Amino acid sequence: MAVASEIEFIAPGLWFWRVYDPAVKAELYSTALTIAESTYLIDPVPLAPDALAELSSQSAIAGVVVTNENHQRAAVEFAHKFKAPIYSRGSQPFPSAVTAVQIEGAVPGEIAVHSEAAGGIVIMGDALINFEPYGFTFLPAKYCSNVKVMRRSLPKLLDYSFERMLFAHGTPILAGARRRLEQLLENH
């Protein structure tokens, strides 16, 4: 798997990095979320040593989150390096700082991650994407285990307060993300 060379700052305690993976012909995005001096890496892809040193100097890496069965990426390597647990659907309970929201019908094991940090954040696995030529939309049906079930499952995200949404595949939405999700669900 390719290695990302830099991290991109979004807001205090929130970063992402990305790399194009020719094996899947897509950009893969990863997120780092710091809450109360503990950093959680979500769907991490490999990161160049300088960028990893910059990220890990912010606070202790407290855990690695995998949002579905297809996103193992470099999770085991990060967990081993930082002696941190891996959280995924069906694993040990998540830390109180983050909530795993199960999304049925998408990819097996699919969750979204919610945190109240930085005005509220949702980090998506595959159920929602935000890249061209699709834009902000649902995962295409051909990748879903049951697209109708997935679309019925996504409105539960509206039970949470959030301003930003980050993706495993796509450009983050940095403002008004909850409203954009409401509009997407209303229009479909």
Side-chain angles (χ1 to χ4, degrees):
M1 178 179 287
V3 176
S5 60
E6 62 184 32
I7 58 175
E8 298 180 50
F9 176 80
I10 295 174
L14 186 60
W15 302 266
F16 75 98
W17 63 101
R18 59 187 158 177
V19 65
Y20 181 79
D21 185 351
V24 294
K25 299 178 183 162
E27 269 199 309
L28 309 179
Y29 285 68
S30 302
T31 303
L33 175 63
T34 300
I35 305 164
E37 300 184 25
S38 294
T39 298
Y40 300 92
L41 307 178
I42 297 98
D43 292 336
V45 295
L47 194 52
D50 289 347
L52 182 57
E54 178 185 349
L55 180 63
S56 61
S57 72
Q58 307 296 319
S59 67
I61 306 298
V64 178
V65 178
V66 177
T67 61
N68 67 52
E69 291 179 10
N70 295 336
H71 287 184
Q72 285 298 317
R73 299 176 176 179
V76 172
E77 293 86 348
F78 279 106
H80 178 70
K81 178 174 182 59
F82 294 106
K83 297 175 178 51
I86 296 176
Y87 300 97
S88 63
R89 183 170 172 172
S91 73
Q92 71 263 11
F94 274 62
S96 61
V98 295
T99 302
V101 182
Q102 294 186 15
I103 307 296
E104 303 298 332
V107 176
E110 180 82 6
I111 61 170
V113 177
H114 175 262
S115 172
E116 293 292 334
I121 301 163
V122 168
I123 303 162
M124 297 302 304
D126 285 339
L128 295 171
I129 59 173
N130 190 32
F131 63 89
E132 296 307 322
Y134 305 103
F136 176 53
T137 193
F138 306 105
L139 180 67
K142 67 182 178 180
Y143 301 112
C144 297
S145 61
N146 187 324
V147 71
K148 291 178 182 178
V149 170
M150 181 189 74
R151 289 186 180 194
R152 286 194 304 263
S153 187
L154 284 167
K156 70 175 78 173
L157 293 173
L158 299 177
D159 294 342
Y160 299 89
S161 174
F162 60 95
E163 181 66 17
R164 295 179 172 101
M165 184 178 285
L166 287 88
F167 304 88
H169 301 285
T171 306
I173 297 173
L174 301 180
R178 188 176 189 286
R179 181 67 192 128
R180 298 244 341 245
L181 178 58
E182 288 171 348
Q183 291 170 337
L184 178 67
L185 294 171
E186 287 169 7
N187 293 332
H188 291 85

